[in-house]
Amino acid sequence: MRYAFVMGAIVAMAVPGAAAAQELSPRTLLPLHVVCAEQAVQSLPSVTLTVAGSQRADGRRAMAAGDVLVIHAGTTQGVDVGQSYFTRRVQGGDRRGTSEPFRLGWEGRAGVLTSGVVTVIAADERFALARVERACRDVQVGDFLEPVAMPALPTPADGGYP
């Protein structure tokens, strides 16, 4: 009797969640999916805003959703409370032996990874604090920031598959 009651309670809790989950199919493409995918680049973006570190004093170099990080720029560079940024890093480039921030790797190719989305929660003249709202992967010290601009998704074909 007790087993049946517990199983009934579990099923009752799962049914509303199952109804909500049916709104999105397994193949539903969202703008954040596109943003989180690696993007091939032929030229590197100009880097002006970077992640300086975690707000915590424990020496961590990687942050996840909910963590607060320090941006190495403030209001004098145009950073203001409420702004949202993508945190990104270059994969496949090389920093060794150069004075430039990045050097493109094999045949001038590199990929840009979006590590997350952050929102500025406090700013002064020199630094800003931002909360990691969404994490595609770990946000690391040195990641650069770009203003959020969600991509437009293609419209599905009528009566067919993409």
Side-chain angles (χ1 to χ4, degrees):
M1 177 70 178
R2 177 186 238 179
Y3 177 75
F5 177 74
V6 171
M7 287 306 292
I10 291 172
V11 170
M13 289 187 296
V15 169
Q22 290 177 357
E23 295 173 9
L24 298 176
S25 72
R27 295 185 180 162
T28 300
L29 182 64
L30 300 174
L32 193 60
H33 295 149
V34 175
V35 168
C36 287
E38 184 174 354
Q39 303 164 14
V41 294
Q42 292 296 327
S43 63
L44 296 174
S46 61
V47 176
T48 57
L49 305 175
T50 58
V51 175
S54 173
Q55 184 189 22
R56 294 180 164 193
D58 59 1
R60 75 174 57 191
R61 299 186 53 82
M63 283 71 66
D67 289 342
V68 176
L69 56 85
V70 178
I71 298 173
H72 199 256
T75 55
T76 56
Q77 289 86 9
V79 178
D80 202 7
V81 175
Q83 291 176 328
S84 294
Y85 294 95
F86 291 128
T87 56
R88 295 185 164 147
R89 74 175 74 85
V90 175
Q91 284 296 102
D94 186 12
R95 295 182 191 203
R96 294 172 289 167
T98 65
S99 59
E100 303 119 31
F102 298 102
R103 185 178 65 206
L104 290 175
W106 180 75
E107 292 185 13
R109 292 189 179 95
V112 173
L113 298 175
T114 300
S115 55
V117 180
V118 299
T119 302
V120 178
I121 57 173
D124 65 11
E125 296 82 27
R126 293 181 43 206
F127 294 99
L129 296 177
R131 176 171 286 111
V132 179
E133 301 295 335
R134 296 291 304 248
C136 302
R137 49 191 53 86
D138 59 331
V139 178
Q140 296 180 2
V141 172
D143 285 0
F144 64 91
L145 282 70
E146 289 183 347
V148 167
M150 287 294 185
L153 298 178
T155 57
D158 291 335
Y161 293 99

